[in-house]
Amino acid sequence: MKVVKFGGSSLASGRAVEKVFEIAAADESRKIIVVSAPGKRFPEDEKVTDMLIDCGIYALEKEEVPPKLEKIVERYSRIAAELGLGAEAEEEVRGRLLDTMASGKERPEYFLEKVKACGEDLNARLIAEYFTSRGVEASYVNPGEAGLYVTDEPGNARALPEAYFHLKSLRDRKGIIIFPGFFGYSKLGDVLTFSRSGSDITGSILANGIEAELYENFTDVDAVYSVNPHTVRSPKEIRELTYREMRELSYAGFSVFHDEALIPAYKAGITVNVKNTNNPEAPGTRIVGERDNTNGPVIGIASDKGFCSIYVSKYLMNREIGFGRRILQILEDFGLSYEHTPSGIDDLSIILRQHQFDQAAEEQIAARIKEELEADEVIIEHDLALIMVVGEGMRHNVGTMARASKALAAAKVNIEMINQGSSEVSMMFGVKENDEKRAVKALYEEFFEPARTAVR
Ligand code: ASP
């Protein structure tokens, strides 16, 4: 049995849904189809989930039906019409949306959760109806009914261990199951969503739950690329990579597959195959437990902006027991999570995502570190980009760091920070955001186009 997930861009129009049907029908082991909400049809278009969030916020602020609601109804009714479904589809979508909006505003966070989840839920119902109209046995399954229980963390839910046990019984259902992605239910019966783009997570949980032989993740690109195609033209496609490599790459900006979605599949040893809905014959990229190392030290280079670093120095920091704990406690008091902490004997840098705090919080944090820890120096640096150079092959190759830093030096990129060691499959470089693209290009040329580097 396979679990197959289709992203929003694969479900944005009636024609797109027809392709999804063809893919599902082409292989009878494709048992569970997980669907996202309709995504963008063209670059300026709006995703249904974004429109739902706007509607939810509007409904909380004003006691009236949000004007955008009709736009959402129109998205679905157009898809239904393109699929040749009856006009009732439109009424049903409007009715369900109005019903959802009609209650629960006294708990705003949970209200927004159930409104957000409508995108996937309505789509799954519509797609099940379409599959049936094509003469295939298919049914919509609600995550609550299937036992997809999750933690009570709005917008950031995680599957509870018992969910996997309940989901196993989906194996025995007849026909194809159309399952809405992105949300589950708390034990108290509230709808809770995963983090954004979380339908990938649903697919992975289901694959684990039913012990699938494969988890196919259909999106709109032929493969995971070794570097962002917006930075380097026609980069190399990755055929196979490990869960650890994918985790590192998706953490730093590879958005093809949600980083949190790897764990359930990984735990059950299920291969994830990222494929293209518009080119299903292409082999795509396989994410596996182990792979043959035939590609050299590096498999991919990712980068992400929007970081800052808090640099703290204090003479004899290495001798002071509890220094690290106390500094992290200050961050915890401000509700901040951190990403990396490269350190030396007398220095420590903490890298954080910048959007988490404003200038006022920043000043307070610096002041507390200076006072409470009697630090010699506290410097906060903004607008950093992190570049992750990733590959299992690094463990067995000598000189990868030397090659990377030499390439960056040749491109006149000043390295603000390096972190390597804890993870044996990646090296992290912190650079100024202005240098990010230049740095990534230089690293790509070094590791993927050595011939080009040699002639320069
Ligand atoms: N529709 C949700 C989002 O836009 C989840 C998903 O597409 O996977 O984040």
Side-chain angles (χ1 to χ4, degrees):
M1 279 183 190
K2 293 177 187 156
V3 171
V4 192
K5 181 257 165 180
F6 291 92
S9 57
S10 303
L11 300 161
S13 67
R15 176 68 199 114
V17 176
E18 275 169 21
K19 281 191 208 159
V20 166
F21 173 79
E22 282 150 25
I23 291 171
D27 176 351
E28 53 176 44
S29 65
R30 289 179 172 143
K31 172 78 184 164
I32 302 186
I33 311 293
V34 178
V35 299
S36 287
K40 293 184 180 188
R41 294 159 292 184
F42 40 87
E44 309 75 41
D45 200 11
E46 268 191 290
K47 288 174 80 169
V48 164
T49 308
D50 291 329
M51 294 200 273
L52 284 164
I53 294 171
D54 290 348
C55 281
I57 294 171
Y58 187 98
L60 284 171
E61 284 168 359
K62 303 199 178 109
E63 278 302 316
E64 53 185 83
V65 175
K68 242 189 193 165
L69 189 129
E70 272 313 306
K71 268 179 103 176
I72 300 174
V73 174
E74 201 207 302
R75 284 294 304 268
Y76 286 102
S77 65
R78 183 177 287 203
I79 295 173
E82 285 166 3
L83 295 173
L85 298 173
E88 318 80 67
E90 175 171 330
E91 264 325 296
E92 165 144 7
V93 169
R94 186 178 291 108
R96 285 189 185 278
L97 281 173
L98 289 173
D99 257 10
T100 309
M101 300 265 175
S103 64
K105 288 188 206 146
E106 62 290 351
R107 296 163 71 224
E109 241 186 334
Y110 293 92
F111 173 77
L112 275 181
E113 289 288 270
K114 65 174 182 156
V115 172
K116 257 201 277 181
C118 284
E120 274 63 19
D121 199 60
L122 293 168
N123 220 16
R125 290 173 192 273
L126 190 77
I127 290 167
E129 193 184 329
Y130 172 62
F131 273 44
T132 309
S133 79
R134 294 283 305 259
V136 166
E137 186 174 6
S139 53
Y140 156 85
V141 172
N142 178 273
E145 180 205 334
L148 177 42
Y149 294 119
V150 297
T151 55
D152 197 346
E153 294 172 277
N156 204 16
R158 279 165 298 154
L160 289 172
E162 64 180 272
Y164 296 98
F165 167 77
H166 294 300
L167 293 169
K168 194 164 181 192
S169 61
L170 291 176
R171 287 184 74 93
D172 305 325
R173 294 228 186 186
K174 285 187 61 204
I176 298 181
I177 293 168
I178 313 287
F179 201 100
F182 193 36
F183 69 97
Y185 285 78
S186 73
K187 293 301 291 254
L188 295 173
D190 288 310
V191 169
L192 285 139
T193 64
F194 299 120
S195 51
R196 289 299 305 266
S197 305
S199 301
D200 284 349
I201 305 176
T202 307
S204 188
I205 294 168
L206 287 167
N208 179 312
I210 70 155
E211 293 164 16
E213 100 201 44
L214 185 68
Y215 172 23
E216 293 179 307
N217 194 287
F218 278 88
T219 172
D220 53 5
V221 287
D222 269 353
V224 176
Y225 295 102
S226 46
V227 70
N228 187 337
H230 296 299
T231 309
V232 172
R233 211 177 321 141
S234 318
K236 228 178 131 201
E237 290 180 2
I238 303 176
R239 284 280 149 266
E240 197 167 70
L241 78 173
T242 66
Y243 299 108
R244 298 201 320 157
E245 289 172 328
M246 189 68 216
R247 161 85 179 107
E248 300 267 350
L249 291 168
S250 50
Y251 158 78
F254 273 38
S255 54
V256 191
F257 190 65
H258 198 303
D259 59 344
E260 276 178 56
L262 285 164
I263 302 299
Y266 163 72
K267 283 194 173 153
I270 298 162
T271 297
V272 181
N273 194 181
V274 176
K275 288 179 75 100
N276 190 349
T277 311
N278 300 312
N279 186 14
E281 300 313 323
T285 298
R286 292 168 68 82
I287 309 172
V288 295
E290 267 173 57
R291 65 177 177 87
D292 290 337
N293 267 316
T294 48
N295 72 309
V298 178
I299 195 143
I301 300 165
S303 68
D304 203 5
K305 286 190 178 48
F307 294 91
C308 68
S309 84
I310 306 179
Y311 168 80
V312 183
S313 84
K314 183 175 183 187
Y315 182 52
L316 296 181
M317 184 191 285
N318 61 322
R319 297 242 208 114
E320 200 170 318
I321 293 170
F323 192 91
R325 182 188 51 74
R326 285 193 286 150
I327 210 167
L328 294 179
Q329 182 62 54
I330 296 177
L331 297 185
E332 194 178 333
D333 293 347
F334 282 82
L336 302 175
S337 65
Y338 69 93
E339 311 290 320
H340 302 266
T341 52
S343 65
I345 344 172
D346 293 333
D347 331 75
L348 177 76
S349 288
I350 304 170
I351 322 248
L352 306 101
R353 293 208 184 251
Q354 206 156 268
H355 66 77
Q356 296 185 94
F357 55 137
D358 56 15
Q359 171 113 29
E362 193 177 304
E363 282 165 16
Q364 288 169 30
I365 291 168
R368 276 190 63 183
I369 297 176
K370 264 205 132 148
E371 263 168 50
E372 294 173 27
L373 296 159
E374 293 169 13
D376 298 331
E377 209 176 8
V378 181
I379 301 171
I380 302 192
E381 218 181 312
H382 298 102
D383 304 327
L384 294 175
L386 296 190
I387 300 173
M388 306 294 291
V389 179
V390 178
E392 297 270 358
M394 251 178 234
R395 259 180 288 172
H396 317 289
N397 279 275
V398 175
T400 313
M401 174 60 88
R403 283 176 66 185
S405 39
K406 202 165 154 218
L408 292 175
K412 306 243 172 331
V413 174
N414 186 21
I415 304 172
E416 304 282 327
M417 199 157 3
I418 293 181
N419 199 7
Q420 200 218 354
S422 320
S423 151
E424 287 175 300
V425 299
S426 72
M427 292 183 305
M428 183 276 275
F429 294 96
V431 301
K432 285 273 182 215
E433 282 182 357
N434 292 343
D435 289 337
E436 180 194 6
K437 279 204 165 170
R438 201 152 29 92
V440 170
K441 277 189 188 146
L443 291 166
Y444 183 80
E445 283 178 17
E446 173 62 35
F447 291 106
F448 293 91
E449 294 179 342
R452 232 166 99 179
T453 332
V455 289
R456 266 199 308 166

